[in-house]
Amino acid sequence: MKNCLRQAKISATGMYVPDHRLSNVDLEKTVDTSDQWIRSRTGIVERRIVANGQACSHLAVEALRRALELRGLAATDLDLIIVATVTPDMFFPSTACLIQERIGATKAWGFDLSAACSGFLYALSTGAQFIQTGTHRRVAVIGADVMTSILDFKDRATCVLFGDGAGAVLLEPAEAGEEGIIDCLLRSDGAGGRYLNMPGGGSLHPASAETVAQNMHCVHQDGAQVFKFAIRGMADISSELLKKWNYSVDDLALYVPHQANIRIIDAAAERLGLDRSKVAINIDRYANTTAATIPICLAEAQADQRVKKGDLVMLASFGAGFTWGSILLRWTM
Ligand code: UT7
């Protein structure tokens, strides 16, 4: 990205989570689990869940509206909307098109991108390139998921882990002398696909009474396998990116990892040699919102003034695919 004409920068953030809280104690009443197990094994205390009829695009529109408001822009100022999600309102039209219509972004085009928990990083990297080439000036990048729409609430191994939410950022060209998004390292390894997936509903296993009976429209996960790969995946790619730019963890003001499990976050930070005080953590309040965890953390960090202009920030994710990656950026707000 060093030789590109124009760096992209994040110029605003926004987030939205549904009002309804589902606590571990609530879950104890419906599935064989305990608040103590969930807290100690995952760090989750509660998660937000959508109201009936509330879908991915509804959460996304609210998050994007807040980002636009913060930046003082209208929806008509947007050129492009990229939505990372594995729980679109429907297969087609894309959630990006639904958002475009609802928010009134009449001059924007858009598309959805599927990379599960790494979706936001893949989308941010993609959006940044539309700015860098100079063809687009205002790109909305959204991570939004309604994970409760694909959970089996009788499966204690998965239903306690996830929640619903959306986060959005705006990308614009950096001013002269501003760094913005410095670099992105993204990876995938399809061999990991067997450990975390939703097998039903696609062209391989179209929806039928049988796929429903076999629970194929829900998240299936071999948690222990994903756990092992996630720690190494996030920590090592972050190290590689820091080394590439001659930075050390001491240069980072904030590390924003995907929020899947507090033990993964802590172990990755330890492997990196990073102090916990520099790590963004909100898994206790929202659980794993898949593509939304990182932009929600960014919006909270901005609202809490935990990041300031000039800070070096690193994002890291790991998820189904397997997909993983890390992005290094300079905060410019
Ligand atoms: O964001 C996408 C990427 N996803 C991830 O990064 C998730 C990665 N994996 C994890 O976070 C963890 O593996 C889990 C939180 C999913 C599970 O934690 P674990 O320490 O790996 O537990 P486990 O799966 O090895 O299960 C330990 C025990 C089992 O009982 P037995 O066989 O030892 O008797 C499970 O049946 O805990 C049991 N268990 C539960 N008990 C109470 C599993 N889920 C629950 C539950 N409540 N909800």
Side-chain angles (χ1 to χ4, degrees):
M1 298 208 177
K2 222 175 176 179
N3 302 320
C4 289
L5 292 172
R6 199 85 191 248
Q7 293 290 102
K9 66 172 182 184
I10 294 179
S11 61
T13 61
M15 63 163 281
Y16 177 77
V17 289
D19 293 336
H20 188 74
R21 293 159 198 260
L22 183 70
S23 70
N24 295 344
V25 176
D26 295 329
L27 280 168
E28 279 179 353
K29 293 169 196 150
T30 54
V31 66
D32 180 20
T33 190
S34 67
D35 176 45
Q36 197 273 334
W37 190 95
I38 302 170
R39 275 179 200 249
S40 63
R41 306 305 289 168
T42 70
I44 299 163
V45 177
E46 63 177 22
R47 70 284 292 140
R48 300 300 183 93
I49 64 168
V50 288
N52 268 343
Q54 206 175 19
C56 182
S57 65
H58 299 109
L59 310 189
V61 162
E62 285 312 314
L64 177 55
R65 214 188 293 282
R66 289 170 190 199
L68 286 167
E69 229 170 76
L70 196 68
R71 179 70 182 92
L73 290 176
T76 46
D77 293 321
L78 292 174
D79 302 323
L80 171 61
I81 300 170
I82 307 177
V83 184
T85 185
V86 290
T87 52
D89 289 27
M90 52 191 95
F91 265 153
F92 65 87
S94 70
T95 305
C97 285
L98 300 174
I99 294 167
Q100 185 246 4
E101 195 268 330
R102 198 163 305 137
I103 205 161
T106 47
K107 298 189 185 118
W109 64 289
F111 59 93
D112 293 0
L113 182 156
S114 169
C117 298
S118 301
F120 181 74
L121 295 202
Y122 277 39
L124 192 62
S125 166
T126 305
Q129 292 177 52
F130 282 96
I131 301 280
Q132 284 158 4
T133 57
T135 58
H136 293 63
R137 292 191 61 80
R138 283 168 185 148
V139 177
V141 177
I142 303 171
D145 270 300
V146 178
M147 293 306 290
T148 57
S149 67
I150 56 167
L151 290 176
D152 172 3
F153 274 95
K154 289 195 264 337
D155 176 15
R156 68 177 185 174
T158 52
C159 76
V160 304
L161 304 176
F162 297 93
D164 304 332
V169 302
L170 300 182
L171 287 177
E172 293 184 69
E175 302 297 329
E178 280 183 336
E179 278 186 290
I181 294 177
I182 297 168
D183 203 357
C184 312
L185 284 186
L186 303 171
R187 301 271 190 274
S188 61
D189 178 3
R194 73 192 77 143
Y195 301 122
L196 178 52
N197 54 48
M198 187 182 79
S203 54
L204 182 62
H205 300 293
S208 67
E210 201 185 329
T211 60
V212 172
Q214 290 178 6
N215 248 341
M216 291 171 77
H217 300 277
C218 296
V219 173
H220 293 254
Q221 176 172 242
D222 180 339
Q225 283 293 340
V226 181
F227 189 94
K228 201 171 63 187
F229 283 105
I231 295 166
R232 229 182 304 135
M234 284 207 297
D236 292 359
I237 202 154
S238 296
S239 281
E240 188 184 334
L241 187 51
L242 283 170
K243 201 181 274 175
K244 184 175 167 190
W245 287 87
N246 273 325
Y247 286 120
S248 84
V249 284
D250 298 334
D251 297 309
L252 293 178
L254 187 68
Y255 185 69
V256 185
H258 171 54
Q259 311 279 307
N261 187 318
I262 193 67
R263 291 184 295 140
I264 294 176
I265 295 170
D266 283 341
E270 197 184 315
R271 194 173 163 95
L272 268 170
L274 184 67
D275 195 275
R276 204 181 197 238
S277 63
K278 289 185 174 182
V279 183
I281 298 171
N282 62 18
I283 188 170
D284 49 324
R285 286 174 289 135
Y286 306 128
N288 182 350
T289 54
T290 303
T293 63
I294 291 172
I296 289 177
C297 281
L298 288 176
E300 288 196 327
Q302 184 174 23
D304 299 345
Q305 296 178 330
R306 199 173 168 191
V307 273
K308 57 182 192 312
K309 197 177 168 86
D311 278 352
L312 195 62
V313 176
M314 180 166 250
L315 320 179
S317 69
F318 189 90
F322 289 138
T323 55
W324 68 104
S326 191
I327 291 183
L328 187 63
L329 60 99
R330 187 74 69 178
W331 205 253
T332 55
M333 290 176 274

